[in-house]
Amino acid sequence: MKYNVLSKALDNLRNHGKHTKIPEIIVCASICDYLKANNLLKERLSTNLSDDFVYLIDKHKSFSQLKDHLTDREIRFFEQNTELFYKELKEESFVGKDLDAEDQDILEIVSNKLISKTESFDFFSKKSFAPAITSWLTEGKTGLKAYSPFNNLFDIDTELSADNSLLIATTDHYSLLAKMIYLCCKGRNSISLLSLTPMDLKTPTNRFDIAFSFPPIAIRLEKHSDFFEIKLIEDLLERVSERFCVITIVGMSNSSSRGLNEFREKIINTGKLQSVVELPGGFVPFSGLSCLAWCFDCNKNNNGNVTFIDLSRNECKDKKNSGRTLFEFNDYAIKNLTNGLNHKEDELVKNVSLNEIKANGNILTPSRYVLSKEEQEAKNKILQGDTKLSDVVEILRTQIIRPLDDGNTYYEVSASDINQMGVIENPSRIILQTEDNVSQRNLLKKDDIIFALKGSIGKVGLVTEEQDNWLLNQSFVILRVKNKNWPVEFVFRQLKSNNMKIYLQSQAIGSVIPSLSVADLKDIPLVSPTKELIDEQKRKHERQVELTKQLHEITAELEELNCF
């Protein structure tokens, strides 16, 4: 299937079938692909979609199960919305086109193309991830009862239904039928469907051996209620007898909200959580969302340990097949994933005790525990500190600054205003504010230390002069030293050290916009001041100032020498 041919067919779709949705595209592409693979396309070229449905249901065993699910009305629905597209797809995308080893599966191309246009997450696939997870779920067994509720990871259903019976449940009836038709085209025979709403999780009364779900992201059943993913995991803990896996956003693993913290503590205490896999931004195509795979074994206790697998790192990317908004795993990533699911420690895998997890506030984000050699060395150095930051400084949260049309002139301080030495230079962004505005809480004073909690984690700056119109950007907090025994410069130099920056970045969460919680900020360890340490840091600071001055002079001379 040549990409430009399919693109032409999709252009025709936009011109002729404006109401056609992804489920109908999946149906058309799947039927065309099946007819081509079975050398039936030529004889079926002049037929319409409904005729092909009836033909396949009557003549091919894989489609016989559709009799119980597909009504005449539904067949007409698919045909009415796809009549022109189906014909053009058969004629332009298949007839006379040679399929070679480099051609991609038509479904994957169609779904990715449509996803990019509709910003939908339905029907995307991760071929390298699906076999590894399915292998862990099934343990090589066949004939299992598998459950797939609200699942958007298409290839998992394909893998699970290869040797097992599969119940697919979701809210969108036509998406459900489209998925089943696709699986029929793949020769899957033991599939059943269930229309289910998130409110009706308890509807299926039967139990299952295994299950997998990648549900809609961060939806709530009702206003102010728990996330749906919590209810889903709790339901699967009751319904599944062996293994299951659920994918959620990373925020479920580290949010300090009371509900999510209690949920994490609850599932930790069940002893059934075996592994947590951190997935990269881009795992969901055309988004930067960071996700986790939670892997449970209801038949086995985790013996007081959870295995963390961090696949969010850049070295896990298959550079040939990955793009800016699409991430494919390489063999290195799959090796670590496979080892981690079997509790074998590897470069990106670490077994962590429940006591350590509880000491970290029940945080279940793998990158918090799986550290590189450099990160581990920096952490060991920082943890030698004997005093918490919150015992030394007052932490002032900043407010969102909304520029006004009228008011006094202020300057907004951001990360770009911090020079090489960590000193805040004259900010350039002018904003208008009134003196009674909440932004006045962001006013900076001499000896204030600013600390980035979002984005530029580890970025630290110092206000060295009196100011009356500098307002701090909301990505930062203000640290004001309250313990007179701690010199401001001494605190500042500890916070801006290389080891501290590496340590803080390893504690940050989120791959798109890294962030650090205020709770983690309060617990940062500092080394208490002594006369020897203060004098040593003063000498280092003076030497840095001297070298920086020389560097500027050398840079200026180089620029001058470059003139013709």
Side-chain angles (χ1 to χ4, degrees):
M1 175 60 60
K2 300 300 183 183
Y3 190 81
N4 60 342
V5 175
L6 184 59
S7 295
K8 184 177 179 181
L10 289 169
D11 288 337
N12 289 331
L13 165 67
R14 285 190 289 273
N15 294 331
H16 300 304
K18 295 182 180 179
H19 301 293
T20 307
K21 307 298 182 184
I22 287 181
E24 291 97 308
I25 304 300
I26 298 299
V27 168
C28 289
S30 300
I31 297 298
C32 287
D33 198 28
Y34 181 85
L35 294 175
K36 176 68 176 181
N38 288 274
N39 298 315
L40 296 169
L41 190 62
K42 188 174 182 180
E43 68 177 75
R44 307 298 304 174
L45 188 59
S46 61
T47 57
N48 57 33
L49 185 62
S50 60
D51 286 342
D52 284 342
F53 268 138
V54 174
Y55 172 81
L56 292 173
I57 290 172
D58 289 341
K59 304 292 185 182
H60 291 255
K61 183 179 178 181
S62 296
F63 293 85
S64 60
Q65 58 194 311
L66 286 173
K67 288 182 179 179
D68 299 327
H69 296 286
L70 200 61
T71 66
D72 290 339
R73 180 177 62 83
E74 288 162 343
I75 291 176
R76 287 195 300 273
F77 169 81
F78 282 120
E79 177 153 313
Q80 288 169 359
N81 288 344
T82 61
E83 183 177 358
L84 286 171
F85 176 66
Y86 183 65
K87 179 182 178 182
E88 290 169 355
L89 191 63
K90 284 203 287 188
E91 290 180 350
E92 296 182 20
S93 301
F94 285 92
V95 178
K97 302 297 185 295
D98 294 327
L99 302 179
D100 56 39
E102 296 181 357
D103 290 332
Q104 298 183 58
D105 179 279
I106 182 173
L107 176 64
E108 183 178 357
I109 302 175
V110 171
S111 61
N112 284 344
K113 183 77 173 179
L114 265 290
I115 288 167
S116 67
K117 299 298 182 185
T118 63
E119 298 182 355
S120 168
F121 297 140
D122 288 341
F123 305 116
F124 60 79
S125 63
K126 278 284 167 289
K127 290 185 175 180
S128 58
F129 178 78
I133 288 292
T134 305
S135 176
W136 176 80
L137 286 171
T138 62
E139 298 182 273
K141 302 173 186 176
T142 59
L144 298 173
K145 291 177 63 178
Y147 184 37
S148 177
F150 309 99
N151 177 32
N152 287 320
L153 199 57
F154 211 92
D155 273 3
I156 291 286
D157 284 344
T158 309
E159 294 281 339
L160 286 180
S161 59
D163 300 299
N164 309 290
S165 63
L166 178 65
L167 173 64
I168 301 171
T170 191
T171 55
D172 184 342
H173 180 64
Y174 287 104
S175 293
L176 201 62
L177 288 173
K179 184 178 284 193
M180 185 172 186
I181 291 166
Y182 169 72
L183 293 172
C184 287
C185 290
K186 292 292 185 182
R188 305 302 191 251
N189 298 318
S190 300
I191 307 163
S192 54
L193 306 181
L194 178 67
S195 291
L196 190 67
T197 68
M199 295 293 288
D200 296 328
L201 273 176
K202 298 293 182 182
T203 298
T205 56
N206 46 332
R207 290 180 61 82
F208 301 91
D209 299 311
I210 57 176
F212 181 90
S213 179
F214 190 168
I217 293 171
I219 64 170
R220 293 182 183 269
L221 299 179
E222 298 174 357
K223 190 176 182 180
H224 306 305
S225 72
D226 289 335
F227 287 113
F228 167 57
E229 292 96 317
I230 293 178
K231 300 298 183 184
L232 177 62
I233 290 174
E234 290 175 343
D235 182 63
L236 293 176
L237 281 168
E238 295 180 10
R239 196 176 302 286
V240 176
S241 60
E242 296 186 23
R243 293 176 169 180
F244 72 89
C245 175
V246 176
I247 295 183
T248 74
I249 57 172
V250 165
M252 297 280 293
S253 70
N254 51 45
S255 171
S256 59
S257 72
R258 181 177 177 182
L260 285 174
N261 193 22
E262 289 178 351
F263 163 70
R264 294 196 300 270
E265 184 175 16
K266 177 181 177 180
I267 63 172
I268 287 171
N269 290 335
T270 66
K272 296 178 180 180
L273 180 64
Q274 300 292 323
S275 306
V276 182
V277 186
E278 188 165 355
L279 303 168
F283 178 78
V284 178
F286 310 104
S287 85
L289 286 173
S290 299
C291 297
L292 295 181
W294 308 63
C295 301
F296 294 83
D297 193 330
C298 299
N299 211 19
K300 186 185 299 182
N301 193 285
N302 60 24
N303 296 318
N305 290 279
V306 174
T307 302
F308 290 102
I309 309 166
D310 184 8
L311 302 186
S312 66
R313 298 169 182 262
N314 193 56
E315 55 262 40
C316 294
K317 181 185 290 187
D318 183 336
K319 295 182 180 178
K320 179 180 178 182
N321 297 315
S322 299
R324 186 173 62 87
T325 57
L326 184 64
F327 195 110
E328 283 285 359
F329 291 118
N330 56 24
D331 292 340
Y332 172 72
I334 298 304
K335 177 179 78 74
N336 275 269
L337 174 61
T338 302
N339 285 339
L341 292 173
N342 291 287
H343 307 294
K344 297 177 183 177
E345 289 202 342
D346 207 330
E347 294 177 59
L348 305 178
V349 180
K350 185 178 181 182
N351 297 320
V352 180
S353 71
L354 298 187
N355 290 334
E356 183 178 347
I357 294 171
K358 290 177 180 179
N360 272 277
N362 298 317
I363 288 177
L364 293 171
T365 310
S367 54
R368 170 62 63 95
Y369 304 98
V370 182
L371 304 179
S372 66
K373 182 179 179 181
E374 181 186 37
E375 289 170 338
Q376 189 62 56
E377 289 175 351
K379 180 178 180 179
N380 294 339
K381 181 73 173 178
I382 295 302
L383 292 182
Q384 293 177 11
D386 52 22
T387 305
K388 290 183 178 180
L389 179 65
S390 56
D391 294 331
V392 178
V393 305
E394 180 184 5
I395 301 174
L396 305 175
R397 300 292 296 270
T398 53
Q399 301 293 314
I400 297 175
I401 302 177
R402 294 186 172 87
L404 304 177
D405 295 329
D406 193 17
N408 299 325
T409 298
Y410 290 86
Y411 295 89
E412 183 178 7
V413 175
S414 63
S416 61
D417 300 314
I418 302 174
N419 68 16
Q420 189 176 2
M421 291 293 296
V423 174
I424 303 172
E425 297 182 324
N426 292 326
S428 58
R429 188 183 181 214
I430 298 175
I431 53 176
L432 299 179
Q433 297 286 290
T434 58
E435 292 184 359
D436 58 350
N437 193 280
V438 293
S439 64
Q440 295 298 306
R441 298 180 189 177
N442 300 21
L443 270 174
L444 291 171
K445 301 178 180 180
K446 185 177 182 295
D447 291 336
D448 276 350
I449 299 170
I450 68 172
F451 185 98
L453 282 183
K454 292 181 180 179
S456 305
I457 299 297
K459 191 78 170 179
V460 182
L462 178 65
V463 181
T464 57
E465 304 290 341
E466 289 289 352
Q467 306 295 336
D468 59 6
N469 63 347
W470 285 9
L471 297 175
L472 185 58
N473 182 279
Q474 65 178 15
S475 296
F476 287 78
V477 292
I478 301 172
L479 307 181
R480 285 187 182 146
V481 176
K482 61 185 179 181
N483 189 324
K484 297 184 183 298
N485 296 322
W486 288 69
V488 171
E489 292 80 5
F490 185 79
V491 177
F492 169 65
R493 285 189 59 82
Q494 284 198 61
L495 292 176
K496 73 181 287 288
S497 70
N498 290 334
N499 282 330
M500 182 65 76
K501 184 175 182 179
I502 294 170
Y503 169 72
L504 292 174
Q505 289 176 346
S506 73
Q507 301 296 293
I509 56 176
S511 61
V512 180
I513 304 179
S515 63
L516 194 73
S517 70
V518 173
D520 286 336
L521 176 65
K522 291 179 178 179
D523 289 341
I524 290 176
L526 297 179
V527 177
S528 296
T530 63
K531 185 178 185 308
E532 293 75 13
L533 281 176
I534 292 174
D535 290 344
E536 178 188 357
Q537 293 303 315
K538 184 177 180 181
R539 286 193 299 273
K540 286 185 175 181
H541 174 73
E542 290 172 351
R543 180 57 176 160
Q544 277 185 299
V545 171
E546 181 182 344
L547 290 174
T548 301
K549 182 179 179 181
Q550 293 176 14
L551 182 62
H552 288 163
E553 290 173 351
I554 291 172
T555 302
E557 184 178 351
L558 285 171
E559 287 294 325
E560 184 178 347
L561 291 172
N562 197 41
C563 297
F564 185 77

